Amino acid sequence: MFKKVLVANRGEIAIRVLRACEERGIATVAVFSEADRSALHVRYANEAYCIGPAPSRESYLRMDRIIDVARKAGVDAIHPGYGFLSERAEFAAACAEAGITFIGPSPEAIEAMGDKITARETVRRRGVPLVPGSERGLRDEGLVAAAREIGFPIMIKAAAGGGGKGMRAVHDQGALVAAIGAARREAMAAFGNDEVYLEKLIANARHVEIQVLADSHGTTLSLNERECSIQRRHQKLIEEAPSVAVDEKLRKEMGQVAVAAAEAVGYVNAGTIEFLFDSKDNSYYFLEMNTRLQVEHPITELVTGIDIVKEQIAIAAGRKLRYKQADIIPNGWAIECRITAEDPYNNFMPSSGVVSYLKEPTGPGVRVESSLYEGMEISLFYDPMIAKLVVWGETRAEAILRMRRALNEYRIGGIRTSIPFHQEIMESTEFMWGTFDTGFLSRRRVGGMRPHLGEEEQLAAVVAAMLAHEEGRQATMHVGQADNGGKGEPVVGLWKQAGRMRAQRGRW
Amino acid sequence: MFKKVLVANRGEIAIRVLRACEERGIATVAVFSEADRSALHVRYANEAYCIGPAPSRESYLRMDRIIDVARKAGVDAIHPGYGFLSERAEFAAACAEAGITFIGPSPEAIEAMGDKITARETVRRRGVPLVPGSERGLRDEGLVAAAREIGFPIMIKAAAGGGGKGMRAVHDQGALVAAIGAARREAMAAFGNDEVYLEKLIANARHVEIQVLADSHGTTLSLNERECSIQRRHQKLIEEAPSVAVDEKLRKEMGQVAVAAAEAVGYVNAGTIEFLFDSKDNSYYFLEMNTRLQVEHPITELVTGIDIVKEQIAIAAGRKLRYKQADIIPNGWAIECRITAEDPYNNFMPSSGVVSYLKEPTGPGVRVESSLYEGMEISLFYDPMIAKLVVWGETRAEAILRMRRALNEYRIGGIRTSIPFHQEIMESTEFMWGTFDTGFLSRRRVGGMRPHLGEEEQLAAVVAAMLAHEEGRQATMHVGQADNGGKGEPVVGLWKQAGRMRAQRGRW
Amino acid sequence: MKYYVRVDNNEYEIEINGDIVLLNGEPVDVDLVRSGATELYSVLFGGRSHEMLVNADRFNYQINVRGVQLQVQVEDERARRLNRGRRLPTLPDGELAILAPIPGLVVRVLVGEGDSIEEGQPVILLEAMKMENELRAARAGIVKSVVATTGQRVEQNAPLIILE
Amino acid sequence: MKYYVRVDNNEYEIEINGDIVLLNGEPVDVDLVRSGATELYSVLFGGRSHEMLVNADRFNYQINVRGVQLQVQVEDERARRLNRGRRLPTLPDGELAILAPIPGLVVRVLVGEGDSIEEGQPVILLEAMKMENELRAARAGIVKSVVATTGQRVEQNAPLIILE
């Protein structure tokens, strides 16, 4: 087993991996950008080294610096987490050159699956069903022609893509060219490569994916499906396992197809096969394979009891899987809500600021994977996902009720978050019935208006008046307006107040 | 199902029950003493009412006030939690009179098991094995005589007892009378009844208990055993499930004996049969039945997947149990550490103060049941247990490693806690091998000396010097000593410092 | 003392005399305490328990209830008299500047001067965090002037479009 | 500037000149930042990461590392000169008062005047929180006087026994 592992990532996933290492008795090394000096993952690791300024391309994407730190710290393996360098074949290769184990698949496997078009061709040979689409390397005119052939509606996707970046749905000829432009811009910004391709858009399709684990001794297991249809702009927001749309027979069949797809590229370690799933006739089509740990891996852990990150480490260390396919029996139901620093009532605008108060949910069946701490500064340098709230229940109904309970407990002060959005979804009958698809959000325009709070709104008014009264703000108010329209001087007033109220044993 | 439930308790268990109610869609009512106005359970409930001053006997033990609140708030059931009124037959009766369901056993069952001596006689008739002991109502001379008969070492126990209060081990005639005195004093203080009795002390015995669930339709299930041998002065500190000492066959047999004991008093709802377990010959003896929810119930929940508190509510509402004995299959391993506000390096002296910083562990396999919040004032009015840290692992080894990980993450500022004690135990080979008994702690005098920290101690010295340097305290130091020997003016200095450092973006 | 409190577009009149609190003339039973943390308050409103996170900026309060952020403005009687007639930037009448909520790159301006637009209509495409974000009008109005230009880098709170 | 730092019974000499920090004469590489909360510090000590909770009371620091509470006293050169010879209440030599760590009821006094006692020897039985707690001597010494009496209610920090 490894003696020391470097985690080439930040945020909740870095902490997730550090925890797995600590629980395996492996020493840990974190890397951080100048913006992350006091981040949790830095404090959590046994060692931590700065690798550059805040922007990712100057720090978390700097392979050279990371490998340099790995060498100096004498680690024998690197875990890339998700995002950043996790799906860069050249990074996996660079690790190998440096004599360091990359905890993930081989560069060849990443390569083969990383290019979405090659991937489609590879798995097709193994009889994996595909959505009709365009071939590779087409310029705009070629794409327009291909679109006519495939027929609308169609989906534009980035060849180097992932995570929904550079994706666009187009419903008619007219909007096509503009959409291709936007998709190329996003793809270039996200992956430094603006190649895009087309796929037929399956209406009312679900996004169902299969988690696989493969060791270096020829065993590849399916850990069954995850339902990821609740998406906004092709970004997953809520995932659950199992899927209401998949029965035992289908689960077995899709699992076998997924294993075949993985074996098509001689895949080793943890990976995920994404399918487009058509509830109308239970047909499914290969979308892509993610050759890394997924954001939503915890829901699979909760229903299978298998610690996927620890298995990744064991596999990378050359261990045989301890399980047989027959041991993988789904137990209960798990749901994950992605907590992001975005304002659901302002078109999911990213929200920055300092986390001024934090109390995260806990208790039975609740798991929080979080990068949050009081005093944390949420910057706009990185992905807005700041935490994941995951629950387990004996049944789907219990899981939903538990998620509501946990969301109601979650307190994050100082920034806007997606929590009220998730509360809204957990209350929606469509979600409760499980009769949704990837079009769910666009149809119901969630988060458009904030819910009416009734008593709580009245109460907020009363509380504000009492605080103003207590503070004796009257005097300052006019002045405030006169001089600067009532802006400026935020916390200070409250601090003073805090002091005095504490003196009064917090009561009046 | 109930519409509204009152929780007649405080601290972590009140919150545990409130969560269960919320997850069942039941409205909740909390009661609180004047010391608990801003406690978590008050903020967590839908409604909250003050029932008197800080001392328990003027608030949490005031049946009249609690039932009065219940009537006014229109609740249809009351959950007593553990401690306080949970094992008072007259409270269960008073609820019934008020037409409110008591979520727990009948007053008769509480009565029958509440008096330890009656309990012994009742279960003996069902063939439940007992430890040899004295009969009831003996005065000191009688007890001395009985002790001679039973033979030393013996154990003194409070007839009205529970939770180790009023218990004393005596190894020879000489110490007997003094020990009886101390035991009676404690029993009187704790239960308002100073009757005690004697039991033969089984050397190197383990404490193994069986959780039972019984519905009002004649089904009584065993949820298998918990190992609770890690005790200090008969107070459980660490529990685990299953027990290393109990094999499948024994588990089945003890489960049947426990069910028989429960049925002996027509028991309905959740209860626990405590056994003294002798590893030498796998013999076990009935100690007592706790007719309430146990502190350590979560470890059973984690290995069985059954939510015991939700089952309590369903049973009280007249529902049939959804499980058969065959459905109860232990899965994995769970451990609980009781986090108390006590100083393990000062003879577990209770520690009071304000929780100035808090970060609780989370992530895979970790469950925290906590009453803590930043700014909370830990008073000496109530039990020093402030939180429970519970972990699940696929194996016992994984659970122990995960507990170490979680303990290392736990940050509680402003008070002393038992966390370092638990860290010490999790590192001890005796615990890892599982070869311990109830004498474990007294033998190894844990927490006697704090571990040597090496690098961290040096570092603490460096940090203190840097802070002193930064603060430019030199001037004030002499003055400080001259005038008041260096006492007084605590936080203020730090607040100022805080302000300035924040201005410097927390770095220098 | 009387206070006029606006939460979004609803206004409440609250009167406080010593321990007596009137909400729109009706007496209410409120017990308000801070719970440890500076901005966390526990409120018992006739026995019903609520938690609120409060951030104060002069007479503007941001109150977070169950994850929902409320904008609350308080005026006392005198402030009310003074403000009568005068336009506050936050009041729905008069001019309204659409500001950049985050630093970013203006990808496209979707409206022109003189356009009459609806509440919620997209007006600007702003790229931040590698995503294109639509800025929408907080209320209906006529575009008085377009400050932002395509391709421009804008700082947080930079005015982009002025409505009248 | 030189500092003499005592952690329990170990003393360290730390010298700080600008950015240079010497520990017992050896230069050390320390990066110290506050992480959000007032008393939480993150320390990188030659790349090794540590978290510390620090509470300062003048020149006494309570530092909590991995749940273990350390008592740290800092003196600078001048303070050291001044203190030389003088007895600080917290120093192990000279008189030592055993104080009640919590309010409670004195159940029994286990030692008498003139007794010579060991470090860690029980001296008083104090009942608090319905439990009898043994108070033990922090160090060996002779009992100079017994202040507490059986049955007496004592406040926190009330002196119970004086050692010399």
Side-chain angles (χ1 to χ4, degrees):
Chain A
M1 184 44 66
F2 306 117
K3 299 252 164 312
K4 205 192 250 193
V5 167
L6 180 147
V7 181
N9 214 305
R10 66 180 299 282
E12 65 85 19
I13 195 60
I15 297 154
R16 167 73 184 95
V17 176
L18 290 169
R19 282 178 170 141
C21 292
E22 186 175 351
E23 289 181 8
R24 292 209 63 130
I26 301 169
T28 56
V29 178
V31 293
F32 61 96
S33 75
E34 284 159 12
D36 281 340
R37 168 60 183 91
S38 49
L40 284 188
H41 74 283
V42 173
R43 291 184 263 151
Y44 201 98
N46 301 119
E47 299 172 46
Y49 302 94
C50 184
I51 51 169
S56 307
R57 79 191 65 78
E58 300 173 49
S59 48
Y60 296 106
L61 291 172
R62 285 293 298 268
M63 307 188 191
D64 53 344
R65 291 194 185 146
I66 291 168
I67 295 211
D68 187 48
V69 167
R71 275 224 196 74
K72 289 208 181 75
V75 309
D76 33 36
I78 293 181
H79 195 300
Y82 53 68
F84 293 131
L85 299 172
S86 59
E87 292 181 289
R88 296 275 185 92
E90 60 271 46
F91 183 60
C95 291
E97 274 163 41
I100 297 165
T101 307
F102 176 80
I103 300 177
S106 68
E108 298 70 27
I110 298 173
E111 197 83 59
M113 286 299 186
D115 181 289
K116 303 309 167 197
I117 300 165
T118 320
R120 286 164 55 89
E121 282 144 16
T122 316
V123 300
R124 174 190 280 115
R125 290 190 221 97
R126 292 299 198 92
V128 175
L130 295 176
V131 182
S134 70
E135 75 241 31
R136 72 170 313 152
L138 297 177
R139 332 182 97 273
D140 293 13
E141 317 73 56
L143 289 168
V144 172
R148 226 179 272 101
E149 227 167 74
I150 300 164
F152 288 89
I154 58 137
M155 185 67 81
I156 309 173
K157 296 189 168 187
K165 298 233 165 75
M167 279 175 80
R168 281 279 187 292
V170 185
H171 295 271
D172 53 64
Q173 193 71 46
L176 185 57
V177 178
I180 291 173
R184 286 201 194 273
R185 271 199 305 279
E186 262 183 41
M188 178 54 86
F191 318 107
N193 166 356
D194 74 349
E195 179 175 358
V196 298
Y197 65 102
L198 306 181
E199 260 180 16
K200 181 161 187 53
L201 191 156
I202 312 283
N204 308 328
R206 288 170 178 264
H207 176 114
V208 176
E209 59 186 28
I210 301 279
Q211 173 74 56
V212 297
L213 270 185
D215 66 18
S216 53
H217 304 274
T219 306
T220 305
L221 298 178
S222 158
L223 301 194
N224 301 329
E225 82 281 6
R226 289 185 291 254
E227 161 71 70
C228 312
S229 299
I230 306 294
Q231 306 185 349
R232 178 177 175 279
R233 296 168 160 198
H234 316 296
Q235 295 273 16
K236 299 168 186 169
L237 292 175
I238 298 172
E239 304 98 342
E240 60 181 296
S243 166
V244 285
V246 177
D247 61 19
E248 197 36 65
K249 186 179 150 302
L250 206 52
R251 176 169 298 121
K252 195 148 177 288
E253 181 188 319
M254 291 178 78
Q256 286 158 351
V257 171
V259 167
E263 286 172 345
V265 295
Y267 197 84
V268 171
N269 212 287
T272 297
I273 318 288
E274 297 189 337
F275 292 102
L276 211 57
F277 185 93
D278 192 341
S279 320
K280 289 190 296 301
D281 56 2
N282 282 355
S283 59
Y284 50 91
Y285 308 92
F286 172 87
L287 275 178
E288 58 177 312
M289 177 171 192
N290 297 316
T291 57
R292 52 161 162 88
L293 185 64
Q294 297 277 97
V295 171
E296 58 272 26
H297 74 276
I299 56 177
T300 300
E301 294 184 320
L302 288 178
V303 290
T304 60
I306 294 173
D307 187 318
I308 293 172
V309 177
K310 282 185 192 164
E311 292 305 322
Q312 284 192 295
I313 295 168
I315 288 167
R319 300 281 178 91
K320 266 181 129 66
L321 281 164
R322 293 169 295 156
Y323 312 94
K324 290 180 293 336
Q325 189 63 56
D327 304 330
I328 316 299
I329 305 136
N331 167 30
W333 213 280
I335 304 177
E336 168 178 280
C337 288
R338 299 190 183 192
I339 311 300
T340 61
E342 296 175 313
D343 181 357
Y345 301 126
N346 182 14
N347 198 28
F348 284 83
M349 189 65 53
S351 165
S352 59
V354 172
V355 176
S356 53
Y357 178 76
L358 179 68
K359 184 120 181 87
E360 299 190 302
T362 170
V366 173
R367 169 175 166 183
V368 178
E369 297 285 341
S370 172
S371 65
L372 291 166
Y373 59 95
E374 263 177 23
M376 177 186 193
E377 199 176 330
I378 307 287
S379 73
L380 298 177
F381 288 114
Y382 309 111
D383 189 278
M385 194 185 79
I386 49 181
K388 301 182 307 200
L389 176 54
V390 196
V391 302
W392 177 89
E394 286 182 68
T395 63
R396 184 168 188 268
E398 192 192 31
I400 292 174
L401 288 161
R402 182 162 278 164
M403 181 60 84
R404 285 190 200 167
R405 185 271 284 180
L407 286 164
N408 286 338
E409 279 180 35
Y410 220 136
R411 301 270 180 280
I412 304 176
I415 56 167
R416 313 245 169 156
T417 76
S418 56
I419 288 171
F421 160 82
H422 289 296
Q423 291 174 309
E424 206 175 317
I425 300 296
M426 290 301 138
E427 302 284 343
S428 80
T429 47
E430 204 177 345
F431 181 80
M432 284 186 262
W433 296 335
T435 58
F436 49 75
D437 58 59
T438 48
F440 176 60
L441 292 189
S442 46
R443 277 197 303 281
R444 70 193 303 267
R445 190 169 185 280
V446 218
M449 280 293 300
R450 67 160 187 73
H452 182 63
L453 290 175
E455 169 170 304
E456 274 133 329
E457 182 174 309
Q458 290 180 20
L459 192 51
V462 172
V463 167
M466 287 172 81
L467 291 175
H469 188 70
E470 179 68 16
E471 194 51 11
R473 289 168 180 270
Q474 301 87 315
T476 59
M477 277 163 75
H478 320 116
V479 188
Q481 282 167 31
D483 58 27
N484 65 359
K487 277 187 214 60
E489 190 234 350
V491 275
V492 185
L494 199 61
W495 279 109
K496 266 203 262 77
Q497 189 183 18
R500 193 166 75 252
M501 292 192 186
R502 189 168 297 114
Q504 303 171 4
R505 345 197 66 248
R507 178 156 201 155
W508 72 92
Chain B
M1 184 44 65
F2 306 117
K3 299 252 165 311
K4 204 192 249 190
V5 167
L6 181 147
V7 181
N9 213 304
R10 66 180 300 282
E12 66 84 20
I13 195 60
I15 297 155
R16 168 70 184 97
V17 176
L18 291 169
R19 282 177 169 141
C21 291
E22 186 175 352
E23 290 181 7
R24 291 209 65 129
I26 300 170
T28 55
V29 178
V31 292
F32 61 96
S33 76
E34 284 158 13
D36 282 341
R37 168 59 183 90
S38 49
L40 284 187
H41 74 283
V42 173
R43 291 184 263 152
Y44 200 98
N46 300 119
E47 299 173 45
Y49 302 94
C50 184
I51 51 168
S56 307
R57 79 190 65 78
E58 298 173 51
S59 49
Y60 296 105
L61 292 173
R62 285 291 300 266
M63 306 187 191
D64 54 341
R65 291 195 184 145
I66 290 167
I67 294 208
D68 187 48
V69 167
R71 275 225 196 71
K72 289 210 179 77
V75 309
D76 31 38
I78 293 181
H79 195 300
Y82 54 68
F84 293 132
L85 300 172
S86 59
E87 292 181 289
R88 295 276 186 93
E90 60 271 41
F91 183 60
C95 290
E97 272 163 41
I100 297 165
T101 307
F102 176 80
I103 300 177
S106 67
E108 297 70 26
I110 297 173
E111 197 84 59
M113 286 298 187
D115 182 288
K116 303 311 169 196
I117 298 164
T118 320
R120 288 164 54 91
E121 281 145 15
T122 316
V123 301
R124 174 190 280 114
R125 288 190 224 98
R126 293 296 197 93
V128 176
L130 294 177
V131 182
S134 71
E135 77 241 28
R136 72 170 311 153
L138 297 176
R139 330 185 97 275
D140 293 12
E141 316 73 58
L143 290 167
V144 172
R148 225 179 273 101
E149 228 167 75
I150 300 165
F152 288 88
I154 59 136
M155 184 69 80
I156 309 174
K157 296 188 168 189
K165 299 234 165 72
M167 280 175 79
R168 282 279 187 287
V170 184
H171 294 271
D172 53 67
Q173 193 72 44
L176 185 57
V177 177
I180 291 173
R184 286 200 193 273
R185 272 199 304 279
E186 263 182 41
M188 179 54 87
F191 318 107
N193 168 353
D194 75 348
E195 179 174 357
V196 297
Y197 65 102
L198 306 181
E199 259 178 18
K200 180 160 187 56
L201 192 156
I202 312 282
N204 308 329
R206 288 171 178 262
H207 177 115
V208 176
E209 60 186 27
I210 301 279
Q211 173 73 55
V212 298
L213 270 185
D215 66 18
S216 52
H217 305 275
T219 307
T220 305
L221 298 177
S222 159
L223 301 193
N224 301 330
E225 82 280 8
R226 290 185 290 253
E227 161 72 70
C228 313
S229 299
I230 307 294
Q231 305 184 348
R232 179 178 174 277
R233 296 171 163 194
H234 317 294
Q235 296 273 15
K236 299 167 185 170
L237 292 175
I238 298 172
E239 303 97 344
E240 61 182 296
S243 165
V244 285
V246 177
D247 61 20
E248 197 37 63
K249 185 181 150 304
L250 207 51
R251 178 169 297 121
K252 194 146 177 289
E253 180 188 320
M254 290 178 77
Q256 285 159 350
V257 170
V259 167
E263 286 172 345
V265 294
Y267 197 84
V268 170
N269 212 287
T272 297
I273 319 288
E274 296 189 338
F275 292 101
L276 211 56
F277 185 93
D278 191 341
S279 322
K280 288 191 297 301
D281 56 3
N282 283 353
S283 60
Y284 51 92
Y285 308 92
F286 172 88
L287 275 178
E288 58 177 302
M289 178 171 192
N290 296 317
T291 58
R292 51 160 163 89
L293 185 64
Q294 297 278 95
V295 171
E296 59 271 26
H297 74 277
I299 56 177
T300 300
E301 295 183 321
L302 289 178
V303 290
T304 60
I306 295 173
D307 187 318
I308 293 172
V309 177
K310 283 185 189 165
E311 292 305 323
Q312 284 191 294
I313 295 169
I315 288 168
R319 301 280 178 89
K320 265 182 131 65
L321 281 164
R322 292 169 296 157
Y323 313 93
K324 291 180 291 339
Q325 189 63 56
D327 303 330
I328 316 299
I329 305 133
N331 169 29
W333 213 279
I335 304 177
E336 169 177 281
C337 288
R338 300 190 183 193
I339 310 301
T340 61
E342 297 177 311
D343 181 357
Y345 301 126
N346 183 14
N347 199 28
F348 284 82
M349 189 64 55
S351 165
S352 60
V354 172
V355 176
S356 53
Y357 177 77
L358 179 67
K359 186 122 181 85
E360 300 190 301
T362 170
V366 173
R367 169 175 166 184
V368 178
E369 298 285 340
S370 173
S371 65
L372 291 166
Y373 59 94
E374 262 177 25
M376 177 185 192
E377 199 177 329
I378 306 286
S379 74
L380 297 177
F381 289 113
Y382 309 112
D383 190 277
M385 194 185 79
I386 49 181
K388 300 184 308 202
L389 176 54
V390 195
V391 302
W392 178 89
E394 288 182 67
T395 63
R396 184 168 189 267
E398 191 192 31
I400 291 174
L401 288 161
R402 182 162 277 163
M403 181 59 86
R404 285 189 199 165
R405 186 271 285 180
L407 287 165
N408 286 338
E409 278 180 37
Y410 218 138
R411 300 271 180 279
I412 304 175
I415 56 166
R416 313 246 169 153
T417 75
S418 57
I419 288 172
F421 160 82
H422 290 297
Q423 291 175 310
E424 206 176 318
I425 300 297
M426 290 300 139
E427 304 284 343
S428 80
T429 48
E430 202 177 346
F431 181 79
M432 284 186 263
W433 296 336
T435 57
F436 49 75
D437 58 59
T438 48
F440 176 58
L441 292 190
S442 47
R443 276 196 304 279
R444 73 194 302 268
R445 188 166 185 282
V446 219
M449 280 295 296
R450 68 159 186 73
H452 183 63
L453 290 175
E455 169 170 302
E456 274 130 329
E457 181 173 309
Q458 290 179 18
L459 192 50
V462 172
V463 166
M466 287 172 80
L467 291 175
H469 188 73
E470 179 66 19
E471 195 47 12
R473 288 168 181 270
Q474 300 87 314
T476 60
M477 275 164 78
H478 319 118
V479 187
Q481 284 168 26
D483 59 28
N484 67 357
K487 276 189 217 57
E489 189 235 350
V491 273
V492 185
L494 198 61
W495 279 112
K496 266 203 260 78
Q497 190 182 18
R500 192 169 75 250
M501 292 192 187
R502 188 169 299 110
Q504 304 169 2
R505 346 196 69 251
R507 174 158 204 155
W508 72 93
Chain C
M1 175 62 90
K2 266 212 180 95
Y3 297 88
Y4 303 91
V5 185
R6 165 176 279 112
V7 185
D8 296 341
N9 295 325
N10 306 330
E11 183 166 284
Y12 301 88
E13 183 189 303
I14 287 128
E15 189 170 351
I16 305 179
N17 301 315
D19 292 354
I20 293 140
V21 180
L22 302 175
L23 167 61
N24 298 330
E26 295 297 313
V28 288
D29 160 21
V30 197
D31 176 21
L32 176 64
V33 307
R34 170 180 291 102
S35 299
T38 316
E39 68 185 70
L40 179 68
Y41 291 86
S42 166
V43 193
L44 293 181
F45 191 36
R48 287 183 303 289
S49 179
H50 300 271
E51 238 178 44
M52 294 192 173
L53 293 170
V54 181
N55 276 297
D57 175 358
R58 276 271 162 66
F59 56 96
N60 294 301
Y61 295 83
Q62 283 211 344
I63 298 189
N64 186 307
V65 192
R66 289 199 285 109
V68 178
Q69 196 86 352
L70 298 174
Q71 298 300 337
V72 184
Q73 294 177 294
V74 181
E75 289 177 297
D76 67 4
E77 293 154 272
R78 275 164 295 165
R80 166 54 62 96
R81 259 178 266 110
L82 257 146
N83 296 337
R84 189 144 289 137
R86 184 208 292 162
R87 292 207 219 95
L88 283 178
T90 41
L91 291 185
D93 61 305
E95 286 189 7
L96 178 75
I98 296 176
L99 310 175
I102 47 172
L105 176 79
V106 178
V107 176
R108 200 162 337 87
V109 181
L110 306 169
V111 296
E113 269 179 37
D115 293 5
S116 119
I117 59 170
E118 326 256 283
E119 173 179 349
Q121 179 179 332
V123 291
I124 286 238
L125 227 55
L126 188 70
E127 183 182 303
M129 307 174 85
K130 301 209 180 91
M131 296 275 292
E132 292 186 359
N133 305 287
E134 274 178 359
L135 303 197
R136 295 162 178 232
R139 64 164 177 84
I142 312 289
V143 176
K144 187 182 180 210
S145 65
V146 177
V147 186
T149 58
T150 302
Q152 181 189 1
R153 286 220 152 279
V154 293
E155 287 313 306
Q156 190 154 18
N157 294 324
L160 305 174
I161 282 173
I162 311 294
L163 297 184
E164 66 182 355
Chain D
M1 175 61 101
K2 267 214 179 97
Y3 298 88
Y4 303 90
V5 185
R6 165 177 279 109
V7 185
D8 297 342
N9 295 327
N10 306 329
E11 183 165 287
Y12 301 87
E13 181 189 304
I14 287 129
E15 187 168 353
I16 304 179
N17 301 316
D19 291 354
I20 293 139
V21 179
L22 303 175
L23 167 60
N24 299 331
E26 293 298 312
V28 287
D29 160 20
V30 197
D31 176 21
L32 176 64
V33 307
R34 169 178 293 99
S35 298
T38 316
E39 68 186 69
L40 179 68
Y41 291 85
S42 166
V43 194
L44 293 182
F45 191 37
R48 288 186 301 290
S49 179
H50 301 270
E51 239 179 42
M52 294 193 173
L53 292 170
V54 182
N55 276 297
D57 175 357
R58 275 267 162 65
F59 57 96
N60 294 300
Y61 295 83
Q62 283 211 345
I63 299 189
N64 185 307
V65 192
R66 290 199 283 110
V68 178
Q69 195 85 354
L70 298 174
Q71 299 299 336
V72 184
Q73 294 178 295
V74 181
E75 290 177 297
D76 66 6
E77 293 154 89
R78 275 164 296 163
R80 164 56 60 100
R81 260 179 265 107
L82 257 145
N83 297 338
R84 189 144 290 140
R86 184 208 293 160
R87 290 211 219 91
L88 283 179
T90 41
L91 291 185
D93 60 305
E95 287 189 7
L96 178 76
I98 296 177
L99 310 177
I102 46 172
L105 176 78
V106 177
V107 176
R108 200 163 335 90
V109 180
L110 306 170
V111 295
E113 268 178 38
D115 292 4
S116 119
I117 60 172
E118 327 257 280
E119 174 179 349
Q121 178 178 336
V123 290
I124 285 235
L125 227 54
L126 188 70
E127 182 181 304
M129 308 176 86
K130 304 209 178 86
M131 297 275 291
E132 292 186 359
N133 305 288
E134 273 178 359
L135 303 197
R136 294 158 179 239
R139 63 164 177 84
I142 311 289
V143 176
K144 187 183 178 210
S145 65
V146 177
V147 186
T149 58
T150 302
Q152 180 188 5
R153 285 222 154 278
V154 293
E155 287 315 306
Q156 189 154 19
N157 294 323
L160 305 175
I161 282 174
I162 311 294
L163 296 185
E164 65 183 356

